[in-house]
Amino acid sequence: MGLLSSNTRLDKLEDLFLHELEDLYDAEKRLTKALPLMMEAAKNPKLKMGFEQHLRETEGQIARLERIFDMINRKPERETCDAMKGLIAEGNEAINARGNDDVRDAALIAAAQRVEHYEIAGYGTLRTFAKTLGMHEAATLLQQTLDEEEATDKKLTEIAVSIVNPRAEMA
Ligand code: FE
Ligand code: FE
Ligand code: FE
């Protein structure tokens, strides 16, 4: 999540739920800008397609978050996600690096998996808060996104282990 500013008030679990929702909303919005650059930088076609597919999924994930804002009668607002800013900055290092294509692809995967793990932590927490608060429809939507993030993480591992890392090792 973003840094809680000194004037953030967390009196109820609903307050924390909203704070985390706004943080993930910001994180996903940032990813829709970052993923096209990852896609462009990737040399392996499977990796490129994987980023492209996850960009489309990310757009759907943003729509789910907007539905949840709607359920709690709030306008979608962004709370700066400092962690995602940092993870994207690390991804940019991989994007801008020179060198061997396969080693660079391995670096893109390493950065992308850090992003997925952050999202998995965030969505897992938010889904569990939703369940606790009796927001079953929201919990279902958050679980769908969590499943997508986990599947993306697994797919990245598969591409790394089966193709990219062995090729990078030969560089
Ligand atoms: Fe965050
Ligand atoms: Fe996402
Ligand atoms: Fe993701």
Side-chain angles (χ1 to χ4, degrees):
M1 63 175 169
L3 300 176
L4 290 166
S5 60
S6 51
N7 60 6
T8 301
R9 285 207 58 112
L10 297 175
D11 293 317
K12 316 234 338 139
L13 187 58
E14 283 90 341
D15 301 333
L16 181 57
F17 180 86
L18 178 62
H19 180 82
E20 297 280 353
L21 184 67
E22 291 176 341
D23 179 278
L24 275 172
Y25 189 57
D26 182 72
E28 296 287 20
K29 287 267 184 182
R30 287 176 193 280
L31 284 169
T32 58
K33 302 280 187 300
L35 279 165
L37 305 177
M38 304 277 281
M39 190 176 96
E40 225 172 279
K43 290 293 190 300
N44 180 276
K46 273 202 175 153
L47 183 57
K48 220 182 240 300
M49 273 172 45
F51 284 137
E52 191 180 13
Q53 188 195 332
H54 200 51
L55 173 61
R56 286 195 303 272
E57 283 176 340
T58 298
E59 283 158 359
Q61 293 171 356
I62 287 173
R64 285 190 194 114
L65 293 175
E66 288 170 347
R67 281 176 64 188
I68 296 170
F69 278 110
D70 198 54
M71 284 174 195
I72 58 172
N73 295 312
R74 304 286 299 216
K75 277 213 167 70
E77 272 182 40
R78 296 170 64 161
E79 162 81 37
T80 300
C81 179
D82 296 294
M84 190 57 74
K85 272 172 88 171
L87 291 171
I88 290 172
E90 289 194 4
N92 284 335
E93 285 176 32
I95 288 169
N96 296 323
R98 293 157 181 263
N100 177 271
D101 285 350
D102 298 304
V103 179
R104 292 182 64 250
D105 276 358
L108 290 171
I109 293 173
Q113 287 195 284
R114 281 176 168 80
V115 167
E116 296 314 312
H117 282 235
Y118 181 78
E119 293 183 297
I120 288 165
Y123 279 106
T125 299
L126 202 60
R127 182 268 334 259
T128 301
F129 286 164
K131 277 189 184 169
T132 303
L133 291 165
M135 303 167 62
H136 300 294
E137 213 184 327
T140 300
L141 291 172
L142 293 165
Q143 183 67 53
Q144 286 169 1
T145 295
L146 182 57
D147 292 344
E148 286 173 359
E149 309 295 22
E150 284 175 345
T152 301
D153 181 51
K154 283 207 183 76
K155 191 175 180 184
L156 287 166
T157 296
E158 270 169 35
I159 295 172
V161 170
S162 66
I163 317 168
V164 172
N165 291 358
R167 290 180 58 131
E169 196 267 333
M170 307 221 300

